[in-house]
Amino acid sequence: MSRARTLKLPLLAALAAAIGWSAFTYPAIGQLTYDLASAAESRLYGLHKERVTVDGVPMVLYRSQGRNTGQHTGDAILMLHGFSADKDVWARFARHFTGNHQVIVPDLAGHGETGYQPDWKYSIPAQSERLVKLLDQLGVQRVHVIGNSMGGHLAAYFALHHPKRTLSAAMVDPAGLPQPHPSEMERLRAEGHNPFLFDTRAGFYRFYPMTMAQPPFMPGYVLDAIADQYIARKAALTQIFNESHQPTDVSTRLGQLRAPALIVWGKQDRLIDVSAAAVWQAALPQAQVVLLDGIGHMPMVEAPADTAKLYAAFIGQAGTR
């Protein structure tokens, strides 16, 4: 049986199971479909779910094992999602590394299955220290770290503050530095409207196209369920956004980063304008910088195979330095 057909079967089974409940639970059916499909995909890609409690925070993560031996293999890669996202945004990108690397993809505090508590800390420094303790508990000493958006800011902060634990640092459409040309999101925020925060599905459908230039297909009932989750989490997201978007010393210390560095940016990014890439490059002139045509804020979701090929070449070179 072909790999493509093998992939489709559990996804179709998940969809069929979900549809069986649709008459009673719409739009919860959308969340069920999404969860079942994500679980099936992650398993097929060699990602296994684990739970590790770090300073009272029950973190949920994906981790890969060697396909043949059942043991962790290769250098570890730590993948960090952005604000309001979760570990699943990395799955189709991570599949290209699970055979030869230990891949670690956590739901950061406040996100995904790790959940939210108002007394947890959501700043970049707090999340970074939590990651160090997570790696300690997993027995991982050094990692290639890659992050998107808020996760890109976090990746840079982690690499600066924990250089002995960093093999390389890759920032994908990262937050944290100025944008010479304000993005659509920044213009809206200047007018008093944060596109991440809304009270209606209409607000979600204005926001969602801003996240990607080429989003993968999802049925409308799945998008409705995601919209409802955003609405229900508005208070939590407000706190997390405010804490995670506080300035850090990345803006003043970035030039001190000594690990091999990669900066990737989608030219059609509507959340963080591509003009910020030049600011990162000026602060980190030794970094490799790649701008992607036709791609928005989440290259690892919009073009996972191409972005993974780019990243594989980068960490391959980083390993020879």
Side-chain angles (χ1 to χ4, degrees):
M1 184 179 295
S2 71
R3 180 173 179 81
R5 189 176 178 189
T6 302
L7 173 61
K8 288 177 183 178
L9 288 177
L11 300 185
L12 290 173
L15 182 61
I19 288 172
W21 293 92
S22 62
F24 305 100
T25 59
Y26 185 89
I29 180 61
Q31 189 63 51
L32 178 61
T33 302
Y34 180 86
D35 290 345
L36 289 172
S38 296
E41 274 196 298
S42 64
R43 287 195 298 270
L44 282 170
Y45 299 159
L47 295 165
H48 303 273
K49 190 182 295 185
E50 299 183 22
R51 290 174 172 82
V52 178
T53 299
V54 180
D55 283 347
V57 177
M59 297 186 70
V60 179
L61 61 138
Y62 287 143
R63 186 154 62 141
S64 68
Q65 295 179 324
R67 289 174 179 161
N68 298 322
T69 66
Q71 301 297 318
H72 296 304
T73 61
D75 290 335
I77 305 174
L78 177 64
M79 301 181 181
L80 306 174
H81 62 74
F83 171 73
S84 81
D86 59 35
K87 61 186 179 302
D88 289 317
V89 298
W90 287 104
R92 294 181 182 181
F93 173 93
R95 68 181 293 191
H96 299 280
F97 301 94
T98 53
N100 298 314
H101 296 271
Q102 180 180 175
V103 176
I104 302 164
V105 195
D107 276 333
L108 297 170
H111 298 79
E113 293 182 84
T114 295
Y116 161 83
Q117 292 294 331
D119 58 336
W120 294 347
K121 305 300 182 185
Y122 300 103
S123 68
I124 295 296
Q127 297 279 30
S128 178
E129 293 312 303
R130 216 173 267 128
L131 289 173
V132 172
K133 293 176 182 179
L134 172 65
L135 294 177
D136 287 343
Q137 292 199 46
L138 296 177
V140 176
Q141 293 303 309
R142 304 180 72 200
V143 293
H144 297 282
V145 59
I146 178 171
N148 170 242
S149 194
M150 177 193 75
H153 188 177
L154 179 55
Y157 185 94
F158 178 95
L160 281 167
H161 285 262
H162 302 284
K164 293 183 179 179
R165 307 201 68 161
T166 304
L167 294 167
S168 71
M171 286 67 73
V172 182
D173 296 63
L177 293 186
Q179 306 169 46
H181 302 291
S183 66
E184 182 175 346
M185 182 179 82
E186 287 306 298
R187 293 194 298 271
L188 288 171
R189 288 185 64 201
E191 297 169 359
H193 305 290
N194 187 333
F196 282 97
L197 308 175
F198 42 82
D199 299 301
T200 66
R201 287 183 186 168
F204 173 79
Y205 280 99
R206 287 191 295 270
F207 160 72
Y208 184 63
M210 296 175 64
T211 64
M212 290 174 276
Q214 300 183 52
F217 170 76
M218 281 196 286
Y221 66 93
V222 173
L223 291 174
D224 281 352
I226 296 172
D228 288 358
Q229 273 207 346
Y230 268 84
I231 294 165
R233 296 170 60 207
K234 182 179 178 181
L237 290 174
T238 299
Q239 178 187 349
I240 298 166
F241 187 93
N242 290 337
E243 293 188 27
S244 65
H245 284 72
Q246 291 298 311
T248 70
D249 61 1
V250 167
S251 60
T252 57
R253 290 189 54 202
L254 190 57
Q256 300 173 24
L257 181 61
R258 295 294 173 260
L262 171 68
I263 298 164
V264 178
W265 224 294
K267 289 184 178 180
Q268 277 63 57
D269 192 336
R270 296 167 63 185
L271 296 181
I272 307 177
D273 191 77
V274 67
S275 62
V279 180
W280 283 81
Q281 186 171 28
L284 196 59
Q286 71 272 28
Q288 178 183 347
V289 179
V290 180
L291 307 181
L292 302 175
D293 289 320
I295 301 295
H297 187 63
M298 304 175 72
M300 74 286 186
V301 178
E302 298 178 64
D306 290 343
T307 309
K309 183 177 180 180
L310 171 68
Y311 184 61
F314 165 70
I315 61 173
Q317 294 170 357
T320 64
R321 298 183 187 183

